[in-house]
Amino acid sequence: MPMTEVRQNFRDLSQGMKTLKGLIFDAQLRHGDNQAFRWMLSNVAARVDENENIAPSKKKASERIDGVVATIMAIARSQSEGPPPVSKYETEDLLVV
């Protein structure tokens, strides 16, 4: 399966998070009333940098936002231009146990 790196930084996550925010505010996000996803959404806060880029953050250390971050990463990747970069997992021989 092709792999693509999406770093957990403002540059790579900002546009995806802004798109997700727009989908939520426009009532266009469809998640099948998934209660776990709804709960994770309620745990997300936004970090903002000096360039007005945004990235997800937890409100509290004990809360979970993994599903939302995965969604933001998927949106960010779908919005990127050009073919995906080649992953080291596609080019290196890895020991499979």
Side-chain angles (χ1 to χ4, degrees), residues 23-57:
L23 291 170
I24 292 167
F25 285 124
D26 292 341
Q28 297 297 310
L29 179 64
R30 305 285 187 252
H31 59 75
D33 199 31
N34 182 306
Q35 295 300 310
F37 192 76
R38 182 184 301 267
W39 172 72
M40 285 183 269
L41 280 170
S42 73
N43 294 333
V44 174
R47 295 182 296 138
V48 182
D49 73 2
E50 64 278 356
N51 296 317
E52 297 187 17
N53 292 310
I54 60 175
S57 179

mmCIF file of all heavy atoms in Angstrom, residues 23-57:
data_model
loop_
_atom_site.group_PDB
_atom_site.id
_atom_site.type_symbol
_atom_site.label_atom_id
_atom_site.label_comp_id
_atom_site.label_asym_id
_atom_site.label_seq_id
_atom_site.Cartn_x
_atom_site.Cartn_y
_atom_site.Cartn_z
ATOM 1 N N LEU A 23 -16.424 22.519 7.100
ATOM 2 C CA LEU A 23 -17.438 21.470 6.957
ATOM 3 C C LEU A 23 -18.342 21.405 8.190
ATOM 4 O O LEU A 23 -19.560 21.228 8.074
ATOM 5 C CB LEU A 23 -16.774 20.107 6.730
ATOM 6 C CG LEU A 23 -16.070 19.909 5.400
ATOM 7 C CD1 LEU A 23 -15.251 18.620 5.419
ATOM 8 C CD2 LEU A 23 -17.077 19.892 4.264
ATOM 9 N N ILE A 24 -17.739 21.557 9.361
ATOM 10 C CA ILE A 24 -18.521 21.515 10.601
ATOM 11 C C ILE A 24 -19.462 22.714 10.676
ATOM 12 O O ILE A 24 -20.661 22.564 10.926
ATOM 13 C CB ILE A 24 -17.591 21.468 11.825
ATOM 14 C CG1 ILE A 24 -16.845 20.130 11.860
ATOM 15 C CG2 ILE A 24 -18.378 21.692 13.121
ATOM 16 C CD1 ILE A 24 -15.687 20.085 12.833
ATOM 17 N N PHE A 25 -18.944 23.913 10.454
ATOM 18 C CA PHE A 25 -19.769 25.120 10.564
ATOM 19 C C PHE A 25 -20.840 25.211 9.483
ATOM 20 O O PHE A 25 -21.876 25.823 9.696
ATOM 21 C CB PHE A 25 -18.906 26.378 10.575
ATOM 22 C CG PHE A 25 -18.191 26.591 11.879
ATOM 23 C CD1 PHE A 25 -16.818 26.727 11.916
ATOM 24 C CD2 PHE A 25 -18.883 26.628 13.080
ATOM 25 C CE1 PHE A 25 -16.152 26.913 13.117
ATOM 26 C CE2 PHE A 25 -18.234 26.804 14.293
ATOM 27 C CZ PHE A 25 -16.867 26.952 14.310
ATOM 28 N N ASP A 26 -20.594 24.587 8.341
ATOM 29 C CA ASP A 26 -21.598 24.569 7.263
ATOM 30 C C ASP A 26 -22.521 23.363 7.360
ATOM 31 O O ASP A 26 -23.316 23.121 6.449
ATOM 32 C CB ASP A 26 -20.905 24.561 5.895
ATOM 33 C CG ASP A 26 -20.179 25.864 5.595
ATOM 34 O OD1 ASP A 26 -20.482 26.890 6.246
ATOM 35 O OD2 ASP A 26 -19.301 25.851 4.715
ATOM 36 N N ALA A 27 -22.403 22.591 8.448
ATOM 37 C CA ALA A 27 -23.215 21.386 8.676
ATOM 38 C C ALA A 27 -23.084 20.399 7.510
ATOM 39 O O ALA A 27 -24.048 19.755 7.125
ATOM 40 C CB ALA A 27 -24.671 21.752 8.933
ATOM 41 N N GLN A 28 -21.879 20.272 6.976
ATOM 42 C CA GLN A 28 -21.619 19.371 5.858
ATOM 43 C C GLN A 28 -20.826 18.128 6.258
ATOM 44 O O GLN A 28 -20.618 17.249 5.444
ATOM 45 C CB GLN A 28 -20.848 20.119 4.755
ATOM 46 C CG GLN A 28 -21.623 21.266 4.144
ATOM 47 C CD GLN A 28 -22.870 20.782 3.441
ATOM 48 O OE1 GLN A 28 -22.818 19.863 2.636
ATOM 49 N NE2 GLN A 28 -24.000 21.388 3.754
ATOM 50 N N LEU A 29 -20.361 18.069 7.508
ATOM 51 C CA LEU A 29 -19.590 16.916 7.957
ATOM 52 C C LEU A 29 -20.542 15.764 8.245
ATOM 53 O O LEU A 29 -21.453 15.889 9.048
ATOM 54 C CB LEU A 29 -18.791 17.259 9.217
ATOM 55 C CG LEU A 29 -17.958 16.118 9.793
ATOM 56 C CD1 LEU A 29 -16.873 15.703 8.803
ATOM 57 C CD2 LEU A 29 -17.349 16.519 11.115
ATOM 58 N N ARG A 30 -20.320 14.652 7.582
ATOM 59 C CA ARG A 30 -21.155 13.463 7.778
ATOM 60 C C ARG A 30 -20.310 12.395 8.452
ATOM 61 O O ARG A 30 -19.302 11.958 7.905
ATOM 62 C CB ARG A 30 -21.663 12.930 6.428
ATOM 63 C CG ARG A 30 -22.401 13.962 5.596
ATOM 64 C CD ARG A 30 -23.799 14.207 6.176
ATOM 65 N NE ARG A 30 -24.570 15.060 5.297
ATOM 66 C CZ ARG A 30 -24.864 16.330 5.587
ATOM 67 N NH1 ARG A 30 -24.458 16.877 6.686
ATOM 68 N NH2 ARG A 30 -25.586 17.044 4.741
ATOM 69 N N HIS A 31 -20.713 11.994 9.644
ATOM 70 C CA HIS A 31 -19.970 10.961 10.355
ATOM 71 C C HIS A 31 -20.879 9.858 10.880
ATOM 72 O O HIS A 31 -20.490 9.075 11.745
ATOM 73 C CB HIS A 31 -19.121 11.550 11.480
ATOM 74 C CG HIS A 31 -19.900 12.304 12.509
ATOM 75 N ND1 HIS A 31 -20.674 11.691 13.464
ATOM 76 C CD2 HIS A 31 -20.015 13.629 12.723
ATOM 77 C CE1 HIS A 31 -21.224 12.602 14.239
ATOM 78 N NE2 HIS A 31 -20.842 13.789 13.798
ATOM 79 N N GLY A 32 -22.084 9.761 10.331
ATOM 80 C CA GLY A 32 -22.987 8.672 10.686
ATOM 81 C C GLY A 32 -23.364 8.659 12.153
ATOM 82 O O GLY A 32 -23.604 7.603 12.725
ATOM 83 N N ASP A 33 -23.386 9.812 12.782
ATOM 84 C CA ASP A 33 -23.698 9.935 14.207
ATOM 85 C C ASP A 33 -22.768 9.064 15.058
ATOM 86 O O ASP A 33 -23.175 8.477 16.053
ATOM 87 C CB ASP A 33 -25.160 9.617 14.492
ATOM 88 C CG ASP A 33 -25.598 10.169 15.846
ATOM 89 O OD1 ASP A 33 -25.058 11.211 16.268
ATOM 90 O OD2 ASP A 33 -26.462 9.540 16.492
ATOM 91 N N ASN A 34 -21.503 8.984 14.644
ATOM 92 C CA ASN A 34 -20.507 8.222 15.381
ATOM 93 C C ASN A 34 -20.198 8.960 16.683
ATOM 94 O O ASN A 34 -19.602 10.036 16.673
ATOM 95 C CB ASN A 34 -19.250 8.066 14.525
ATOM 96 C CG ASN A 34 -18.188 7.239 15.194
ATOM 97 O OD1 ASN A 34 -17.785 7.518 16.311
ATOM 98 N ND2 ASN A 34 -17.726 6.230 14.479
ATOM 99 N N GLN A 35 -20.616 8.382 17.795
ATOM 100 C CA GLN A 35 -20.481 9.039 19.095
ATOM 101 C C GLN A 35 -19.018 9.203 19.517
ATOM 102 O O GLN A 35 -18.668 10.193 20.156
ATOM 103 C CB GLN A 35 -21.272 8.284 20.157
ATOM 104 C CG GLN A 35 -22.775 8.305 19.908
ATOM 105 C CD GLN A 35 -23.343 9.711 19.900
ATOM 106 O OE1 GLN A 35 -23.102 10.498 20.806
ATOM 107 N NE2 GLN A 35 -24.099 10.050 18.860
ATOM 108 N N ALA A 36 -18.175 8.241 19.176
ATOM 109 C CA ALA A 36 -16.753 8.360 19.522
ATOM 110 C C ALA A 36 -16.125 9.533 18.770
ATOM 111 O O ALA A 36 -15.362 10.312 19.352
ATOM 112 C CB ALA A 36 -16.012 7.064 19.196
ATOM 113 N N PHE A 37 -16.468 9.676 17.477
ATOM 114 C CA PHE A 37 -15.929 10.787 16.691
ATOM 115 C C PHE A 37 -16.471 12.113 17.226
ATOM 116 O O PHE A 37 -15.729 13.085 17.348
ATOM 117 C CB PHE A 37 -16.264 10.620 15.211
ATOM 118 C CG PHE A 37 -15.520 11.563 14.324
ATOM 119 C CD1 PHE A 37 -14.182 11.360 14.033
ATOM 120 C CD2 PHE A 37 -16.149 12.665 13.764
ATOM 121 C CE1 PHE A 37 -13.475 12.234 13.214
ATOM 122 C CE2 PHE A 37 -15.466 13.544 12.942
ATOM 123 C CZ PHE A 37 -14.127 13.326 12.666
ATOM 124 N N ARG A 38 -17.744 12.146 17.569
ATOM 125 C CA ARG A 38 -18.346 13.364 18.122
ATOM 126 C C ARG A 38 -17.616 13.757 19.417
ATOM 127 O O ARG A 38 -17.322 14.926 19.645
ATOM 128 C CB ARG A 38 -19.831 13.142 18.386
ATOM 129 C CG ARG A 38 -20.559 14.372 18.910
ATOM 130 C CD ARG A 38 -22.005 14.043 19.238
ATOM 131 N NE ARG A 38 -22.723 13.549 18.089
ATOM 132 C CZ ARG A 38 -23.446 14.311 17.261
ATOM 133 N NH1 ARG A 38 -23.531 15.597 17.470
ATOM 134 N NH2 ARG A 38 -24.082 13.774 16.256
ATOM 135 N N TRP A 39 -17.329 12.759 20.269
ATOM 136 C CA TRP A 39 -16.623 13.015 21.523
ATOM 137 C C TRP A 39 -15.221 13.559 21.242
ATOM 138 O O TRP A 39 -14.786 14.527 21.873
ATOM 139 C CB TRP A 39 -16.567 11.731 22.350
ATOM 140 C CG TRP A 39 -15.707 11.825 23.567
ATOM 141 C CD1 TRP A 39 -15.977 12.515 24.717
ATOM 142 C CD2 TRP A 39 -14.424 11.229 23.751
ATOM 143 N NE1 TRP A 39 -14.939 12.370 25.613
ATOM 144 C CE2 TRP A 39 -13.969 11.584 25.039
ATOM 145 C CE3 TRP A 39 -13.624 10.414 22.949
ATOM 146 C CZ2 TRP A 39 -12.755 11.159 25.540
ATOM 147 C CZ3 TRP A 39 -12.412 9.990 23.458
ATOM 148 C CH2 TRP A 39 -11.992 10.360 24.735
ATOM 149 N N MET A 40 -14.512 12.935 20.277
ATOM 150 C CA MET A 40 -13.176 13.419 19.942
ATOM 151 C C MET A 40 -13.227 14.848 19.410
ATOM 152 O O MET A 40 -12.362 15.668 19.742
ATOM 153 C CB MET A 40 -12.491 12.491 18.939
ATOM 154 C CG MET A 40 -12.000 11.205 19.559
ATOM 155 S SD MET A 40 -11.113 10.153 18.393
ATOM 156 C CE MET A 40 -12.460 9.165 17.764
ATOM 157 N N LEU A 41 -14.235 15.165 18.593
ATOM 158 C CA LEU A 41 -14.387 16.544 18.103
ATOM 159 C C LEU A 41 -14.533 17.518 19.258
ATOM 160 O O LEU A 41 -13.996 18.626 19.223
ATOM 161 C CB LEU A 41 -15.594 16.661 17.168
ATOM 162 C CG LEU A 41 -15.406 16.208 15.732
ATOM 163 C CD1 LEU A 41 -16.748 16.162 15.020
ATOM 164 C CD2 LEU A 41 -14.438 17.111 14.993
ATOM 165 N N SER A 42 -15.262 17.107 20.295
ATOM 166 C CA SER A 42 -15.469 17.998 21.439
ATOM 167 C C SER A 42 -14.188 18.210 22.241
ATOM 168 O O SER A 42 -14.108 19.147 23.038
ATOM 169 C CB SER A 42 -16.577 17.457 22.349
ATOM 170 O OG SER A 42 -16.128 16.332 23.081
ATOM 171 N N ASN A 43 -13.195 17.364 22.047
ATOM 172 C CA ASN A 43 -11.921 17.479 22.762
ATOM 173 C C ASN A 43 -10.887 18.320 22.029
ATOM 174 O O ASN A 43 -9.816 18.577 22.571
ATOM 175 C CB ASN A 43 -11.321 16.087 23.004
ATOM 176 C CG ASN A 43 -12.157 15.252 23.934
ATOM 177 O OD1 ASN A 43 -12.870 15.770 24.776
ATOM 178 N ND2 ASN A 43 -12.076 13.945 23.781
ATOM 179 N N VAL A 44 -11.168 18.737 20.800
ATOM 180 C CA VAL A 44 -10.180 19.444 19.982
ATOM 181 C C VAL A 44 -10.192 20.937 20.287
ATOM 182 O O VAL A 44 -11.244 21.566 20.345
ATOM 183 C CB VAL A 44 -10.436 19.219 18.471
ATOM 184 C CG1 VAL A 44 -9.498 20.071 17.624
ATOM 185 C CG2 VAL A 44 -10.286 17.755 18.123
ATOM 186 N N ALA A 45 -9.004 21.459 20.477
ATOM 187 C CA ALA A 45 -8.788 22.903 20.549
ATOM 188 C C ALA A 45 -7.846 23.255 19.402
ATOM 189 O O ALA A 45 -7.172 22.383 18.853
ATOM 190 C CB ALA A 45 -8.156 23.280 21.889
ATOM 191 N N ALA A 46 -7.802 24.516 19.031
ATOM 192 C CA ALA A 46 -6.935 24.943 17.934
ATOM 193 C C ALA A 46 -5.716 25.675 18.478
ATOM 194 O O ALA A 46 -5.838 26.542 19.334
ATOM 195 C CB ALA A 46 -7.693 25.853 16.975
ATOM 196 N N ARG A 47 -4.538 25.267 17.987
ATOM 197 C CA ARG A 47 -3.311 26.037 18.228
ATOM 198 C C ARG A 47 -3.147 26.938 17.009
ATOM 199 O O ARG A 47 -3.362 26.501 15.889
ATOM 200 C CB ARG A 47 -2.095 25.124 18.335
ATOM 201 C CG ARG A 47 -2.095 24.203 19.507
ATOM 202 C CD ARG A 47 -0.820 23.364 19.566
ATOM 203 N NE ARG A 47 -0.724 22.484 18.395
ATOM 204 C CZ ARG A 47 0.390 22.253 17.699
ATOM 205 N NH1 ARG A 47 1.513 22.848 18.014
ATOM 206 N NH2 ARG A 47 0.398 21.434 16.671
ATOM 207 N N VAL A 48 -2.759 28.175 17.224
ATOM 208 C CA VAL A 48 -2.581 29.129 16.128
ATOM 209 C C VAL A 48 -1.168 29.682 16.193
ATOM 210 O O VAL A 48 -0.693 30.057 17.265
ATOM 211 C CB VAL A 48 -3.618 30.284 16.238
ATOM 212 C CG1 VAL A 48 -3.469 31.251 15.079
ATOM 213 C CG2 VAL A 48 -5.035 29.741 16.320
ATOM 214 N N ASP A 49 -0.501 29.725 15.020
ATOM 215 C CA ASP A 49 0.844 30.307 14.993
ATOM 216 C C ASP A 49 0.782 31.754 14.523
ATOM 217 O O ASP A 49 -0.296 32.304 14.263
ATOM 218 C CB ASP A 49 1.806 29.452 14.162
ATOM 219 C CG ASP A 49 1.578 29.533 12.658
ATOM 220 O OD1 ASP A 49 0.685 30.277 12.200
ATOM 221 O OD2 ASP A 49 2.299 28.828 11.916
ATOM 222 N N GLU A 50 1.941 32.384 14.403
ATOM 223 C CA GLU A 50 2.008 33.805 14.036
ATOM 224 C C GLU A 50 1.550 34.084 12.608
ATOM 225 O O GLU A 50 1.251 35.220 12.249
ATOM 226 C CB GLU A 50 3.433 34.352 14.245
ATOM 227 C CG GLU A 50 4.493 33.725 13.370
ATOM 228 C CD GLU A 50 5.028 32.392 13.900
ATOM 229 O OE1 GLU A 50 4.643 31.960 14.991
ATOM 230 O OE2 GLU A 50 5.831 31.773 13.191
ATOM 231 N N ASN A 51 1.456 33.050 11.765
ATOM 232 C CA ASN A 51 0.989 33.204 10.387
ATOM 233 C C ASN A 51 -0.472 32.810 10.216
ATOM 234 O O ASN A 51 -0.939 32.630 9.096
ATOM 235 C CB ASN A 51 1.855 32.368 9.448
ATOM 236 C CG ASN A 51 3.284 32.845 9.434
ATOM 237 O OD1 ASN A 51 3.549 34.040 9.387
ATOM 238 N ND2 ASN A 51 4.220 31.918 9.513
ATOM 239 N N GLU A 52 -1.179 32.635 11.330
ATOM 240 C CA GLU A 52 -2.584 32.239 11.354
ATOM 241 C C GLU A 52 -2.822 30.840 10.806
ATOM 242 O O GLU A 52 -3.917 30.523 10.355
ATOM 243 C CB GLU A 52 -3.461 33.279 10.662
ATOM 244 C CG GLU A 52 -3.430 34.627 11.359
ATOM 245 C CD GLU A 52 -4.417 35.626 10.809
ATOM 246 O OE1 GLU A 52 -5.355 35.226 10.100
ATOM 247 O OE2 GLU A 52 -4.240 36.819 11.093
ATOM 248 N N ASN A 53 -1.789 29.998 10.834
ATOM 249 C CA ASN A 53 -1.964 28.577 10.560
ATOM 250 C C ASN A 53 -2.535 27.948 11.824
ATOM 251 O O ASN A 53 -2.255 28.397 12.931
ATOM 252 C CB ASN A 53 -0.625 27.911 10.230
ATOM 253 C CG ASN A 53 -0.079 28.403 8.917
ATOM 254 O OD1 ASN A 53 -0.767 28.418 7.910
ATOM 255 N ND2 ASN A 53 1.174 28.817 8.928
ATOM 256 N N ILE A 54 -3.345 26.915 11.644
ATOM 257 C CA ILE A 54 -3.921 26.256 12.809
ATOM 258 C C ILE A 54 -3.596 24.771 12.788
ATOM 259 O O ILE A 54 -3.380 24.178 11.734
ATOM 260 C CB ILE A 54 -5.457 26.466 12.901
ATOM 261 C CG1 ILE A 54 -6.175 25.903 11.672
ATOM 262 C CG2 ILE A 54 -5.789 27.926 13.113
ATOM 263 C CD1 ILE A 54 -7.691 25.976 11.758
ATOM 264 N N ALA A 55 -3.537 24.200 13.979
ATOM 265 C CA ALA A 55 -3.286 22.772 14.139
ATOM 266 C C ALA A 55 -4.092 22.296 15.346
ATOM 267 O O ALA A 55 -4.364 23.073 16.257
ATOM 268 C CB ALA A 55 -1.803 22.500 14.342
ATOM 269 N N PRO A 56 -4.486 21.033 15.339
ATOM 270 C CA PRO A 56 -5.286 20.528 16.455
ATOM 271 C C PRO A 56 -4.455 20.337 17.714
ATOM 272 O O PRO A 56 -3.257 20.056 17.660
ATOM 273 C CB PRO A 56 -5.800 19.185 15.934
ATOM 274 C CG PRO A 56 -4.781 18.754 14.943
ATOM 275 C CD PRO A 56 -4.257 20.013 14.324
ATOM 276 N N SER A 57 -5.116 20.493 18.835
ATOM 277 C CA SER A 57 -4.512 20.271 20.132
ATOM 278 C C SER A 57 -5.598 19.736 21.053
ATOM 279 O O SER A 57 -6.789 19.947 20.813
ATOM 280 C CB SER A 57 -3.960 21.590 20.672
ATOM 281 O OG SER A 57 -3.393 21.405 21.950
#
